[in-house]
Amino acid sequence: MRNLLIFAAVGLALAMVPILGSRALVQDLFMVLCLLVLALNWNLLAGFAGLVSVGQQAFVGIGAYAMFASVILLGLNPLLGVVIGGLAAMVLSVPVAFFAFRLHGAYFAVGTWAVADIARLSFSQWKALGGGTGTALPKDAVQEMAIIQLLRDLFGGSKAAAVDMLTYWLALALVLAMLAGAWVFLRSRMGLGLQAVRDNPVAARSVGVDPTRLKALVFLLTAFVTGLCGGLLFIQIGRISPDAAFSLLDWTAFVIFIVVIGGIGTLPGPIVGVLVFYGLERALADYGTLYLILLGLIGIAIMLFARRGLWGTFIQRTGFDPLPLGHRAPARRQPE
């Protein structure tokens, strides 16, 4: 109950940011929330399912392009386009899983990266959406939505500010839903089976766990949420191109850095990681390429001296875990 109250209080405080904070802060925190969604999904894949993917940018790009196609080519509501983007990413993850699951370890990582690059090259041929140079989202399509006018009536401000407010709240809702859903799932029988598969697939199979089914389920679900996040990101960005939508650095490399420094295989790890990443970005962004070098050095230091990440090391040293994912073994009954 205490953790639930803390969770609700933090969520409420973050929800008040668009009302009380500046537009620049809202835009910054929107990107932080989207990175957190991507990090939570990658952590589920790599930290709990043992699927170290280096191609999650494929589902960001597919979700974004499906949203743009829904708006520009079909004239649909952008929010409906976000849902279509998530569904498109999940559908296209099925053939990806069919081939990628035949690979293991480093081969799986390289295979997912190759799929993402194939997707980038394929979408660069889509002339209706600008080909290799991309295209912009019509402003009227987003700014004329009824909900945007409602937000302006309630809180005032420009149409662009109302769009920022809407996308921020949707990203926050996605983060909260992802955190709650991941905790419930990982505490469930299937979640425990997934962690058993990660630790020892042979032993897990011997007690009736189907590793392929569980990994496929997680792969499809994370593709769906990653596609949703991709569509939402590019509503706020307003313009799309293959290089931006399928960016390895922005949507996978930074995400891996966040999870590694926060604590892979822990639920609060990505939260700690994204806070550290945001702080470093704000403090070092003016230093150009030196900023990326420092990020790399910090990541190497964490992997060498705190291999479980900041949150994992904290739990290891203090024994305090406010969000435990395991279950206590049942007490052994004494013979009568």
Side-chain angles (χ1 to χ4, degrees):
M1 181 61 68
R2 180 190 61 188
N3 292 339
L4 181 61
L5 290 175
I6 294 173
F7 183 76
V10 172
L12 181 60
L14 289 172
M16 297 298 292
V17 169
I19 301 173
L20 303 176
S22 65
R23 186 179 172 192
L25 178 62
V26 172
Q27 292 176 340
D28 284 348
L29 291 184
F30 168 79
M31 292 302 297
V32 169
L33 291 172
C34 287
L35 282 174
L36 180 54
V37 171
L38 297 177
L40 288 168
N41 278 279
W42 193 85
N43 189 37
L44 273 177
L45 278 177
F48 293 102
L51 298 171
V52 183
S53 170
V54 191
Q56 290 304 100
Q57 69 271 20
F59 303 121
V60 174
I62 290 168
Y65 264 98
M67 184 274 293
F68 265 69
S70 300
V71 174
I72 295 175
L73 303 181
L74 303 179
L76 300 178
N77 187 299
L79 298 183
L80 179 58
V82 170
V83 178
I84 292 174
L87 293 173
M90 184 171 66
V91 169
L92 291 176
S93 72
V94 175
V96 173
F98 179 78
F99 291 106
F101 277 27
R102 297 171 181 266
L103 306 173
H104 301 281
Y107 297 102
F108 178 85
V110 173
T112 54
W113 171 79
V115 167
D117 218 39
I118 291 170
R120 179 182 63 83
L121 294 172
S122 300
F123 278 91
S124 68
Q125 306 303 313
W126 198 349
K127 302 301 182 184
L129 293 180
T133 58
T135 187
L137 193 67
K139 289 186 177 180
D140 292 345
V142 177
Q143 296 185 355
E144 298 301 327
M145 291 190 300
I147 193 169
I148 297 299
Q149 187 57 47
L150 176 62
L151 292 176
R152 293 188 68 197
D153 294 340
L154 291 174
F155 305 108
S158 64
K159 291 182 179 180
V163 172
D164 290 342
M165 185 179 294
L166 174 62
T167 53
Y168 173 89
W169 277 331
L170 290 174
L172 177 60
L174 199 55
V175 166
L176 296 178
M178 186 70 198
L179 282 170
W183 189 78
V184 171
F185 173 74
L186 292 171
R187 292 268 299 175
S188 70
R189 185 182 182 88
M190 291 181 66
L192 293 175
L194 182 69
Q195 295 173 71
V197 169
R198 174 200 61 191
D199 296 336
N200 193 324
V202 176
R205 191 185 295 273
S206 70
V207 294
V209 178
D210 186 345
T212 303
R213 184 173 67 90
L214 281 177
K215 288 183 177 183
L217 175 64
V218 172
F219 194 77
L220 265 63
L221 290 177
T222 54
F224 172 69
V225 179
T226 302
L228 288 178
C229 189
L232 194 58
L233 270 166
F234 281 86
I235 281 184
Q236 211 274 345
I237 294 171
R239 180 172 181 81
I240 196 170
S241 69
D243 289 340
F246 296 92
S247 172
L248 173 64
L249 178 65
D250 291 337
W251 314 132
T252 299
F254 284 158
V255 167
I256 294 175
F257 174 83
I258 287 168
V259 177
V260 167
I261 65 171
I264 189 169
T266 65
L267 194 55
I271 301 174
V272 175
V274 81
L275 292 175
V276 173
F277 177 79
Y278 177 66
L280 292 173
E281 186 181 44
R282 299 291 292 177
L284 304 174
D286 293 336
Y287 292 95
T289 55
L290 180 61
Y291 157 65
L292 296 176
I293 295 173
L294 288 174
L295 286 183
L297 292 175
I298 291 170
I300 292 171
I302 292 292
M303 287 185 284
L304 287 176
F305 303 108
R307 299 189 64 182
R308 299 185 62 184
L310 296 177
W311 184 257
T313 302
F314 170 77
I315 294 175
Q316 187 178 26
R317 293 186 177 180
T318 64
F320 173 71
D321 187 0
L323 292 174
L325 298 176
H327 293 268
R328 294 191 181 196
R332 189 172 182 180
R333 299 180 65 179
Q334 297 293 333
E336 299 180 0

